[in-house]
Amino acid sequence: MSEFDIINFENRLMANVFAKRPVVITRGKGALVWDINGKEYVDCMGSYGVALLGHSHPKVVEAVCKQAETLISCHASLYNNKRTEFLQKLVSITPKGLNKAFLSNSGAESVECALKLARKYTGKPEIIALMGAFHGKTMGALSATWDKKYRKPFQPLVPEFKHVPPDNLEKLAEAITDKTAAVLLEPIRGEGGVRVPPDDFLPRVRKLCDEKGVLLILDEVQTSFGRTGKLFGCEHWGVTPDVMCLAKPFAGGLPIGITVAKEHVMSAFKVGEHSSTFSGSPLVCAAACAAVDVLVKEKLVGRAASLGEYFKAKLEALQAKYKIVKEVRGLGLMLGMELRYDVHSIILKTMDKGVLILDAGRNVLRFLPPLVIEKEQIDKTISVLDEVIGEEEK
Ligand SMILES: Cc1ncc(COP(=O)(O)O)c(C=O)c1O
């Protein structure tokens, strides 16, 4: 099928909810993808953070092929060896105490489970989230997401959700009442512009939640699996939540959501109170086992930390060079560059020159490359940005 036909058919046959870019991607390897015409791109979108191990990592491919020949689906009402293997690997890397998991298929589902769990465990209805937060677009997750453009068309949303200003402990403390079940937040706000909180914020939130007897749920859908230079974002501040939401890269590119909680919290769920047909399918779990092994064996967490510093320093050099660059933010290979205006045209121009970059709101460029990205590929990204921003500033 031609490029033209593919674009036309997708536009005609698929719900028109994605801000499409005019390119047909057909192949990927490591931090590179190629379009239907064979043009190469450095992939700093990383499938919105999913392709953390690089595209089609050989170990993931091998595990998926082997498992596909053995057993693809197995409902969680039956036991399965691959599911058990993955659960063991999972709890061997999660922060201490987070050792009971519910497996699902996406980030939003991992949040839905956490919200239901918080209500069930505490017997209270209210959830407090942050202004600027993004937790997904299903009804519960959407109720915690902040952006009006996502929320407004679907009101009324789930009741008893409140939003408070970010990084403001006093406002958060004031908002907590005897109806509050949980505080839900991202350690670093991704969609909200790659915003890293002040160093004392998360530890003080943890203390506050303990004092008030409310659960702390951390949405690590974007910040986990080494992305920020630590296995989990919360490790930067030595904080362990009661419930953690995981997804994106955990199955090496296959769909997965994970809600992992302290045992006494997860035990609040009784049989039948939560489930999903695809929960912990052998195929996805085989991919996830391989993904965890690759992350550990290839020491990708350390790589994210060191390459992140390299990448960030280069972005900061562009900030020093161009007035339209307002700020560079982020940790590890979760980086943002805030411009003084809309980034849309920059994203299209860098794509033309062979670099895919994400946005995070109207005026932030966001970089979520695979952790296997090479220095030369970072250099190419920087030189393309240099060229494009230079042209814009003329
Ligand atoms: C922090 C966070 N939570 C939840 C989600 C929703 O994940 P999904 O799109 O897999 O439903 C996202 C997606 O970008 C996210 O960044």
Side-chain angles (χ1 to χ4, degrees), residues 14-91:
M14 194 172 169
N16 184 24
V17 294
F18 294 95
K20 295 281 210 186
R21 300 177 187 197
V23 62
V24 176
I25 299 296
T26 52
R27 191 159 64 87
K29 198 84 211 144
L32 297 175
V33 290
W34 288 266
D35 71 15
I36 193 164
N37 305 310
K39 181 174 165 182
E40 180 183 289
Y41 301 81
V42 177
D43 185 12
C44 290
M45 287 175 74
S47 305
Y48 272 73
V50 169
L52 180 143
L53 302 180
H55 292 280
S56 297
H57 192 290
K59 293 285 180 201
V60 176
V61 172
E62 189 190 331
V64 167
C65 291
K66 200 164 154 211
Q67 188 60 40
E69 284 177 347
T70 313
L71 182 68
I72 294 178
S73 68
C74 172
H75 191 265
S77 54
L78 301 170
Y79 294 92
N80 173 259
N81 55 333
K82 273 296 155 192
R83 189 183 305 128
T84 305
E85 195 183 323
F86 173 57
L87 289 166
Q88 285 178 329
K89 282 186 198 289
L90 175 71
V91 300

Side-chain angles (χ1 to χ4, degrees), residues 16-191:
N16 184 24
V17 294
F18 294 95
K20 295 281 210 186
R21 300 177 187 197
V23 62
V24 176
I25 299 296
T26 52
R27 191 159 64 87
K29 198 84 211 144
L32 297 175
V33 290
W34 288 266
D35 71 15
I36 193 164
N37 305 310
K39 181 174 165 182
E40 180 183 289
Y41 301 81
V42 177
D43 185 12
C44 290
M45 287 175 74
S47 305
Y48 272 73
V50 169
L52 180 143
L53 302 180
H55 292 280
S56 297
H57 192 290
K59 293 285 180 201
V60 176
V61 172
E62 189 190 331
V64 167
C65 291
K66 200 164 154 211
Q67 188 60 40
E69 284 177 347
T70 313
L71 182 68
I72 294 178
S73 68
C74 172
H75 191 265
S77 54
L78 301 170
Y79 294 92
N80 173 259
N81 55 333
K82 273 296 155 192
R83 189 183 305 128
T84 305
E85 195 183 323
F86 173 57
L87 289 166
Q88 285 178 329
K89 282 186 198 289
L90 175 71
V91 300
S92 77
I93 62 168
T94 47
K96 201 160 175 284
L98 296 180
N99 55 9
K100 211 162 162 95
F102 177 78
L103 302 176
S104 55
N105 314 286
S106 68
E109 278 178 77
S110 74
V111 172
E112 293 293 336
C113 173
L115 297 172
K116 283 177 72 177
L117 182 60
R119 284 187 168 180
K120 183 76 205 305
Y121 176 76
T122 61
K124 297 173 181 181
E126 189 177 83
I127 307 289
I128 303 179
L130 299 187
M131 294 170 180
F134 185 84
H135 297 291
K137 294 181 183 170
T138 52
M139 284 308 255
L142 182 62
S143 307
T145 287
W146 169 249
D147 199 325
K148 234 186 8 220
K149 75 171 183 283
Y150 300 142
R151 298 164 55 87
K152 207 157 170 249
F154 305 103
Q155 284 168 343
L157 299 176
V158 179
E160 308 280 5
F161 279 71
K162 269 193 212 166
H163 290 86
V164 297
D167 309 339
N168 187 327
L169 198 82
E170 288 65 40
K171 293 276 186 220
L172 179 60
E174 275 170 30
I176 295 176
T177 67
D178 14 335
K179 285 199 322 188
T180 308
V183 171
L184 164 65
L185 44 91
E186 301 154 84
I188 300 170
R189 276 173 292 133
E191 300 285 328

